[in-house]
Structures are given as structure tokens and as C-alpha cells.
């Protein structure tokens, strides 16, 4: 009934739950990072796959996952919910449904011919600073949402995600303009790159340096900030290895000291006169 109300311009079986103008405003595009990248509606997130736009909302909490999506152009929507802690299932469900019902059509993409040296200006580590407040998550989360951009000899860039949270696979993009890249393939299956939409948009600062990129992961519009290499996940892993080694050394040293003191105390007891 809830979905029918939204798809019926605020009314179900003649009973209005929302006024027509309110329903129209809720389901209207409110903005995005670029006209070719899905954005937001009121209480809904937009998505795109195989050239088809949709909107809805997904959620997961301990023991339950769900997603609700609307395809108004086709007068169609669906809701999926299940118990467990597998938030990748509904993402896979969305992709399989769209690939079966709306297979991608052949599309000619006019790309720029850029040498790898020019493409290197885009290369680097980008991360999603989701937490702005001064909490421990502000330091931890950027490590969980990192993406690596690499320049390729064939005039393409590769976007991969080797971080803790998003992993596996690579998306390949070709330059359409100085700041706009079009997805043209993927290198390997699995992971978050399969969920990325067709376009990447790079953002420049006042010096002309590329400092951020915008895209959409299924129905989550994101902007990733470029960070120095020393903050990358790979370097963090090295730091963690050193930290783990240091902690192990402390534990072993403490254990050795404890054993030494115990043996020394035992020796003193054995050598003491009766």
C-alpha cells in the first residue's frame, strides 16, 4: 500500500495520503554532483544501471537488510527484505534484475585521446570522508572507503577499491572531456566497482589540480577527496604491521621478564638456609 501510494501520486484507491504537489515534490530530482550522475529526491536516492534511472532507499541493521526501489517510467517497483547480515545480496538482486529486464544497449562513446602522462594528473588515492565530527571514526572511516585511480597506457583510467570495506574488481573509464570520464568496461568481477554508474566527474581546485571525484555507487551518490599517498590503505597496512610487531615484541619481552623473575625467585627459595 505504501509503494502504491507513492506510485499513485500520493493516493491509493482514491484515498489521498499526500497532496498532489507534495507527492510531485518528493519524487522530483533535487540535485546531484553532475547532470549525468544520479543524485537525490526527498527521502529517496537515485540510481542508474544500463541507462535506466530509478530511485528508492536501502537499509541494513543487525539481523535485517532491505531495499525498496521505484521505476516510475515503467510503472514498476519492488521491495526486498530478509533476515541476516548480508547487505550485498540486495545489491546483487538489483543488478541481476536490471541486467535481465533492461540489458544494456550498444552505445557509441566519443572519447578523448590523452597520453598516459596527461592521465597521471588524475591518478591517486581518493576517499570518502563520511564522518566530519571529531570522533575516532573520522580517522578510521577514510581507510574503509578508499579508491585508487591509475593511469593506463591505452588512454584509460582504472578505478579500483583495495580498502577494508569496499574490495575487489576494477572499473575502466575513458575521458570524454577534461573532467568527465565514461565507463567503458571492467577488469575482473566482484566487489564495489561493479556497482559504480557510468560516469566519473573530477573536480579541480583554483590551481587546476584534480582534488576530488564524484560518482554514484548504485543508489548512493558520493564525492571522494584526494588524499596524500602516505594516508593510503596500503601504507596504513604497513603501519599496522609495524604496530602489531611492536605489540608482539612488548608481549614477548614482558613474558620473558616475568619468566626470569619467577625463575630467579624460585632459585632464591631453593638456596635459602632452612
Amino acid at each position: 500500500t505504501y509503494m502504491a501510494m507513492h506510485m499513485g501520486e500520493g493516493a491509493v484507491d482514491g484515498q489521498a495520503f499526500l497532496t498532489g504537489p507534495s507527492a510531485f515534490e518528493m519524487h522530483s530530482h533535487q540535485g546531484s554532483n553532475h547532470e549525468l550522475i544520479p543524485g537525490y529526491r526527498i527521502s529517496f536516492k537515485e540510481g542508474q544501471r544500463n541507462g535506466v534511472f530509478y530511485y528508492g532507499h536501502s537499509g541494513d541493521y543487525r539481523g535485517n537488510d532491505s531495499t525498496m526501489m521505484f521505476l516510475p517510467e515503467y510503472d514498476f517497483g519492488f521491495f526486498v527484505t530478509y533476515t541476516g547480515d548480508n547487505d550485498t545480496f540486495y545489491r546483487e538482486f538489483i543488478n541481476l534484475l536490471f541486467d535481465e529486464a533492461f540489458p544494456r544497449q550498444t552505445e557509441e562513446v566519443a572519447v578523448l585521446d590523452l597520453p598516459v602522462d596527461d592521465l597521471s594528473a588524475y591518478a591517486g588515492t581518493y576517499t570518502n570522508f563520511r564522518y566530519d565530527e571529531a570522533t575516532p571514526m573520522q580517522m578510521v572511516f577514510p581507510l574503509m572507503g578508499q579508491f585508487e585511480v591509475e593511469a593506463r597506457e591505452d588512454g584509460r583510467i582504472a578505478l579500483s577499491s583495495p580498502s577494508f570495506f569496499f574490495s575487489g574488481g576494477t572499473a575502466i573509464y575513458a575521458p570524454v572531456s577534461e573532467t568527465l570520464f565514461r565507463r567503458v568496461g571492467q577488469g575482473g568481477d566482484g566487489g564495489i566497482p561493479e556497482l559504480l554508474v557510468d560516469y566519473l566527474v573530477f573536480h579541480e581546485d583554483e590551481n587546476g589540480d584534480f582534488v576530488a571525484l564524484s560518482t554514484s555507487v548504485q543508489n548512493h551518490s558520493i564525492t571522494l577527496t584526494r588524499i596524500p599517498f602516505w594516508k593510503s590503505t596500503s601504507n596504513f597496512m604497513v603501519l599496522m604491521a609495524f604496530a602489531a610487531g611492536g605489540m608482539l615484541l612488548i608481549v614477548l619481552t614482558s613474558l620473558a621478564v616475568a619468566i626470569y623473575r619467577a625463575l630467579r625467585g624460585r632459585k632464591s627459595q631453593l638456596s635459602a638456609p632452612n
Side-chain angles (χ1 to χ4, degrees):
T1 301
Y2 176 81
M3 295 186 71
M5 180 269 293
H6 278 293
M7 298 178 70
E9 299 181 356
V12 179
D13 296 330
Q15 182 178 358
F17 293 89
L18 294 172
T19 65
S22 294
F24 178 80
E25 185 71 12
M26 282 191 69
H27 299 100
S28 298
H29 175 76
Q30 301 294 322
S32 66
N33 295 316
H34 190 275
E35 61 182 1
L36 294 174
I37 295 178
Y40 294 91
R41 307 188 182 195
I42 296 179
S43 79
F44 297 114
K45 301 176 181 180
E46 296 176 337
Q48 182 204 41
R49 188 166 179 86
N50 298 347
V52 177
F53 278 87
Y54 60 94
Y55 64 89
H57 206 101
S58 302
D60 53 85
Y61 197 62
R62 299 164 188 164
N64 180 256
D65 300 283
S66 63
T67 187
M68 176 185 292
M69 294 298 157
F70 299 91
L71 289 77
E73 182 181 355
Y74 297 92
D75 194 30
F76 175 72
F78 61 88
F79 174 65
V80 178
T81 185
Y82 52 92
T83 57
D85 290 300
N86 180 11
D87 65 346
T88 60
F89 173 76
Y90 67 74
R91 302 179 191 277
E92 295 171 354
F93 177 85
I94 292 173
N95 289 349
L96 289 172
L97 175 64
F98 273 79
D99 291 345
E100 182 68 24
F102 312 101
R104 180 180 294 279
Q105 303 299 312
T106 303
E107 178 184 356
E108 293 292 333
V109 180
V111 301
L112 296 180
D113 184 16
L114 295 179
V116 66
D117 290 342
D118 291 350
L119 289 175
S120 62
Y122 305 89
T125 301
Y126 297 76
T127 192
N128 182 5
F129 285 97
R130 180 175 179 180
Y131 290 86
D132 297 327
E133 66 273 14
T135 67
M137 283 304 297
Q138 187 183 42
M139 297 180 290
V140 175
F141 189 84
L143 298 168
M144 299 169 64
Q146 289 191 7
F147 289 78
E148 298 287 343
V149 174
E150 299 179 64
R152 302 191 348 163
E153 295 290 343
D154 61 357
R156 309 290 188 261
I157 62 171
L159 180 63
S160 59
S161 183
S163 60
F164 302 139
F165 190 61
F166 296 144
S167 61
T170 301
I172 310 300
Y173 287 84
V176 177
S177 70
E178 186 178 353
T179 58
L180 183 66
F181 281 70
R182 173 66 163 83
R183 180 171 178 165
V184 293
Q186 64 186 47
D189 297 328
I192 209 71
E194 287 188 349
L195 307 179
L196 293 171
V197 295
D198 289 340
Y199 289 94
L200 295 178
V201 176
F202 285 87
H203 304 282
E204 299 175 279
D205 63 9
E206 60 276 7
N207 299 319
D209 297 323
F210 297 107
V211 295
L213 68 85
S214 295
T215 186
S216 177
V217 180
Q218 208 163 49
N219 62 324
H220 291 76
S221 182
I222 57 174
T223 295
L224 307 173
T225 304
R226 191 172 186 172
I227 61 174
F229 175 71
W230 63 269
K231 287 187 178 181
S232 66
T233 300
S234 56
N235 283 340
F236 180 76
M237 293 296 290
V238 173
L239 177 63
M240 289 296 292
F242 275 109
M247 290 296 294
L248 179 61
L249 181 61
I250 292 173
V251 170
L252 292 177
T253 302
S254 300
L255 181 61
V257 170
I259 294 174
Y260 171 76
R261 287 179 176 177
L263 292 176
R264 185 176 179 181
R266 179 66 175 169
K267 183 178 180 181
S268 297
Q269 291 178 357
L270 292 176
S271 60
N274 293 327

